[in-house]
Amino acid sequence: MLIRVKNAGLDVPSSEITPEETYLNRRRFIAAAGAIAGGHLMAPALGGKAGRAYAQGGQDFSDATDELGGEVNTYEDITTYNNFYEFGTDKRDPSRNSGDFQPEPWTVEVNGHCARPGTYALEDLLAPHTEEDRIYRLRCVEAWSMVIPWRGIPLADVISRLEPTGSANYVQFKTVVRPEEMPGQRRRLIPILPWPYLEGLRMDEAMNPLTLLVTGLYGRSLLNQNGAPLRLMAPWKYGFKNVKSIVEISFVEEMPRNTWNVQTPHEYGFYANVNPEVDHPRWSQARERRIGKLLRQPTLMFNGYGDQVAHMYAGMDLTRWY
Amino acid sequence: MTSAVIWAICLAPLLWLILRFREDGLGANPIEEFTHWGGTSTLILLLLTLTVTPLRRWAGWNLVRYRRRLGLAAFFYGLTHFMTYFALDQFFAFEYVLEDIAERPYITAGFAAFVLLIPLAVTSTRGWIRRLGRRWQRLHRIVYVAAGLGVLHYLWKVKADTLWPMVAAVVLAVLLAARLKPKGARRRKARVGR
């Protein structure tokens, strides 16, 4: 039987939507699963200096590094050097042109193959979960990278609560369309991209403990230029996979199209896993420039997260499934 | 006065760069910003060089004696652009630079445009103009090819937003079209000849 929940969570606390016992059990299960699966996976990411920053409550990241020793980029660099074409294509455009954008109040529509579809107020979607600070590398397909202390919740936690059904093989995400607040969406002559911006993950990628629904960085709420109020972060994939200002999450059966793949199919695939051996037609992916550094450095397979994600692609031809 | 204005045009990109540097030190990725600055400046100066002939022809405004200055300024920015890529961006990594030139069409086009500008800059002196005579003009028609490749380089470089490369392409097309002799004029000339 298909249960439809209209406007679930808009003015009802999520604890009332889900019977409390079920909900607590599920959380206990997720916590246990997290301790088993995520615990040792996350250990390196939270070790050393990064761990200290994490312990400090994520406020001061100035000395923090990722688990490989890469220094965290400055808050200024992270908030002024952005690819967010809804606000313009220059790296500085998002920080300059996003002043009119209103990330509050925010609702997220959940639809498709799941037991709890509906329109959720952002607070209700996130409330049952605990935010974590995690330091991840971000590798753009343009061959630059940053180290960023994100704040967010594992996407797996949210997905579990939405109870996807067996036909939900993929998750599709949609960015908001608000031409009146997003100058990049206003252009009629030669539009920048077809809007809305769409992205997707395979269900196992979405459930991977690394994948975050991000709500902040540097211990603060996301700024508009970084995808406020809610964005994705799958750190082993090129930056463009990490869709910003999410308004819709759909559980779908077929592999969804993603915007860049629609725009330029031979250059951008669905998976977009960081891979130094498969070049983009316009950029060698063998090396990258870490923002703030002069010399390029070698790019790591899966952006250095192979231990956590490589098993998902075992046996796949990554030259074909780029 | 005109000379001063032409100098100002040639040096305007440097002024822009200084202002931009004072603003935020070229931002989070200064090498990228500097590279884009060099490329944009080259293309603008190249297109301005190509406006001299149409201006004379359609507006009767003869700036031919300043054309070399504009062209050399374009070459100067082109050289800066290439060296930024080669020395700063790639840090003299020949292996990667050769791979880029061979395999990435936008770099192939840009590199070809730059290489084509070299003989034009070299033969821009009075001595070479005299020595080459009529051949000088034929040689310098290469600038049309270089400009075309420059626009292609720009168009193929952008990921999605082709607005500005398209503007450059239209400007170049208009400048080249303005050089074509109108059919009527040619016929009239032919008739007069008869």
Side-chain angles (χ1 to χ4, degrees):
Chain A
M1 191 180 112
L2 185 71
I3 302 165
R4 275 187 203 193
V5 182
K6 268 195 189 154
N7 285 341
L10 257 182
D11 41 20
V12 190
S14 48
S15 55
E16 282 177 24
I17 301 169
T18 313
E20 195 166 28
E21 205 182 339
T22 323
Y23 156 69
L24 286 175
N25 279 339
R26 199 180 305 129
R27 291 217 62 201
R28 231 172 277 140
F29 167 75
I30 292 164
I36 297 161
H40 81 277
L41 289 173
M42 280 301 106
L46 299 175
K49 275 184 161 183
R52 235 182 22 240
Y54 179 66
Q56 283 161 10
Q59 293 309 315
D60 179 22
F61 286 94
S62 46
D63 298 329
T65 64
D66 64 6
E67 79 281 10
L68 302 178
E71 290 157 33
V72 161
N73 280 90
T74 64
Y75 189 70
E76 197 193 340
D77 282 353
I78 298 169
T79 54
T80 57
Y81 190 78
N82 307 103
N83 275 330
F84 195 174
Y85 282 9
E86 280 80 347
F87 293 114
T89 55
D90 190 275
K91 296 287 189 294
R92 289 182 300 166
D93 283 345
S95 55
R96 288 171 163 184
N97 301 339
S98 60
D100 292 337
F101 187 72
Q102 297 296 335
E104 285 172 357
W106 195 265
T107 55
V108 178
E109 194 192 322
V110 175
N111 55 36
H113 299 284
C114 68
R116 312 206 146 266
T119 305
Y120 291 82
L122 182 64
E123 307 80 71
D124 296 328
L125 190 68
L126 305 178
H129 310 287
T130 316
E131 288 182 327
E132 302 172 24
D133 289 307
R134 290 198 195 166
I135 297 174
Y136 283 162
R137 293 171 288 285
L138 171 71
R139 170 62 156 78
C140 179
V141 74
E142 296 165 351
W144 56 265
S145 62
M146 290 196 194
V147 179
I148 301 177
W150 299 108
R151 171 167 286 188
I153 54 183
L155 177 60
D157 292 2
V158 177
I159 288 183
S160 304
R161 197 160 58 93
L162 298 172
E163 295 177 20
T165 65
S167 337
N169 299 326
Y170 296 89
V171 191
Q172 185 179 51
F173 303 88
K174 190 189 279 183
T175 295
V176 71
V177 178
R178 286 189 194 167
E180 63 286 358
E181 296 172 24
M182 301 175 127
Q185 290 180 337
R186 283 206 284 270
R187 215 167 66 200
R188 299 278 169 84
L189 180 75
I190 316 184
I192 297 173
L193 284 172
W195 314 112
Y197 192 89
L198 300 172
E199 260 306 341
L201 294 173
R202 215 168 58 189
M203 189 52 93
D204 59 336
E205 299 177 322
M207 296 299 287
N208 189 288
L210 281 179
T211 310
L212 283 188
L213 266 181
V214 166
T215 55
L217 62 87
Y218 257 87
R220 301 171 217 185
S221 293
L222 276 182
L223 297 183
N224 292 343
Q225 59 264 40
N226 295 104
L230 188 70
R231 66 169 296 169
L232 188 67
M233 186 42 59
W236 70 96
K237 292 177 178 288
Y238 291 120
F240 70 85
K241 289 296 289 183
N242 300 300
V243 48
K244 303 184 180 87
S245 305
I246 298 168
V247 285
E248 193 178 322
I249 299 176
S250 312
F251 296 99
V252 297
E253 200 167 348
E254 307 286 329
M255 181 186 282
R257 302 297 303 271
N258 49 321
T259 297
W260 281 103
N261 178 252
V262 171
Q263 171 86 4
T264 326
H266 63 283
E267 295 193 3
Y268 306 94
F270 174 79
Y271 287 96
N273 293 322
V274 175
N275 187 341
E277 279 141 42
V278 178
D279 281 342
H280 180 277
R282 279 180 281 168
W283 299 281
S284 162
Q285 298 296 14
R287 299 182 303 157
E288 66 199 51
R289 170 168 298 111
R290 179 67 47 82
I291 295 302
K293 300 263 186 272
L294 176 66
L295 298 184
R296 286 174 185 264
Q297 60 190 61
T299 288
L300 303 172
M301 188 66 202
F302 295 117
N303 205 21
Y305 298 98
D307 287 351
Q308 292 98 316
V309 302
H311 63 90
M312 295 191 290
Y313 311 103
M316 273 173 71
D317 177 2
L318 296 179
T319 316
R320 183 164 169 241
W321 300 105
Y322 52 92
Chain B
M1 180 58 199
T2 315
S3 178
V5 171
I6 299 288
W7 269 118
I9 290 172
C10 291
L11 297 175
L14 287 175
L15 180 69
W16 189 93
L17 183 69
I18 291 166
L19 294 176
R20 179 72 178 74
F21 187 80
R22 285 170 56 112
E23 189 188 332
D24 63 355
L26 298 189
N29 195 348
I31 294 179
E32 179 189 65
E33 190 67 31
F34 192 56
T35 311
H36 289 172
W37 165 81
T40 311
S41 305
T42 309
L43 196 54
I44 291 174
L45 263 299
L46 212 47
L47 292 175
L48 283 172
T49 311
L50 291 174
T51 56
V52 170
T53 296
L55 271 184
R56 184 178 50 173
R57 184 149 160 208
W58 302 103
W61 190 13
N62 192 345
L63 296 170
V64 167
R65 62 175 153 151
Y66 303 110
R67 190 168 57 185
R68 168 167 48 195
R69 194 186 296 165
L70 288 166
L72 283 175
F75 178 73
F76 165 76
Y77 291 113
L79 180 65
T80 311
H81 182 51
F82 174 73
M83 286 311 291
T84 310
Y85 160 74
F86 182 54
L88 281 176
D89 189 13
Q90 299 294 329
F91 211 75
F92 306 101
F94 282 92
E95 179 198 343
Y96 289 106
V97 171
L98 289 177
E99 185 192 305
D100 269 355
I101 292 171
E103 289 180 17
R104 308 197 209 289
Y106 90 92
I107 294 184
T108 315
F111 183 72
F114 170 65
V115 169
L116 288 177
L117 288 179
I118 295 172
L120 307 193
V122 169
T123 60
S124 65
T125 61
R126 227 162 265 171
W128 272 105
I129 295 174
R130 214 178 316 117
R131 225 168 305 161
L132 289 172
R134 294 198 121 226
R135 279 174 302 163
W136 186 89
Q137 202 158 21
R138 233 179 294 149
L139 174 70
H140 277 248
R141 286 204 182 115
I142 287 177
V143 74
Y144 307 142
V145 182
L149 287 168
V151 171
L152 264 188
H153 168 65
Y154 187 20
L155 184 69
W156 286 344
K157 190 249 169 289
V158 298
K159 285 205 301 184
D161 183 12
T162 54
L163 179 66
W164 285 105
M166 290 307 233
V167 168
V170 168
V171 169
L172 178 64
V174 168
L175 292 175
L176 293 183
R179 291 169 153 74
L180 298 173
K181 301 247 188 307
K183 266 190 179 169
R186 221 179 296 154
R187 233 178 277 138
R188 235 176 290 132
K189 243 187 195 171
R191 238 176 265 143
V192 173
R194 228 184 283 154

